[in-house]
Amino acid sequence: MRTEAHPGAVLKKGTIAVDARMIEASGIGTCVAQWLPRLIAARPDLDFALLGPALVLRDLPWTHGSNVRVIGLDAPIYSLREQISLLHCIPRGAD
């Protein structure tokens, strides 16, 4: 796992940014927690930038791969702070 100090860095082609802030919530969080590790394992050719609660994400064993970066993001969903934070946290060049 890599923790990105400067999330605005330009990334190589094939980087997927995933908003994982609700990974501990029921509903969508359960879905994300189930499919995200499978997607990461199935696509070692892609890099993944996971945005969300850094301490929670770092505790998950599947975030320790060389193709995974955790970017701390704690902005509440549907907020003005979310809109501003996402602009700064999503790495340039990510899909």
Side-chain angles (χ1 to χ4, degrees):
M1 171 192 61
R2 297 174 286 171
T3 301
E4 181 66 37
H6 301 285
V10 177
L11 303 174
K12 71 176 189 173
K13 185 176 180 182
T15 299
I16 306 295
V18 179
D19 184 346
R21 287 177 291 162
M22 296 187 68
I23 199 156
E24 292 186 306
S26 61
I28 190 66
T30 301
C31 292
V32 171
Q34 293 296 311
W35 64 258
L36 192 53
R38 293 178 179 153
L39 178 62
I40 291 169
R43 295 303 306 262
D45 57 314
L46 296 175
D47 285 338
F48 292 86
L50 308 182
L51 295 92
L55 293 177
V56 171
L57 291 171
R58 287 182 189 131
D59 280 342
L60 301 170
W62 49 267
T63 64
H64 296 228
S66 62
N67 65 329
V68 177
R69 285 192 291 165
V70 172
I71 299 172
L73 177 63
D74 64 353
I77 61 168
Y78 307 122
S79 68
L80 178 60
R81 191 169 119 210
E82 171 192 52
Q83 298 304 306
I84 295 167
S85 296
L86 285 173
L87 288 174
H88 297 288
C89 287
I90 296 175
R92 284 180 280 151
D95 293 327

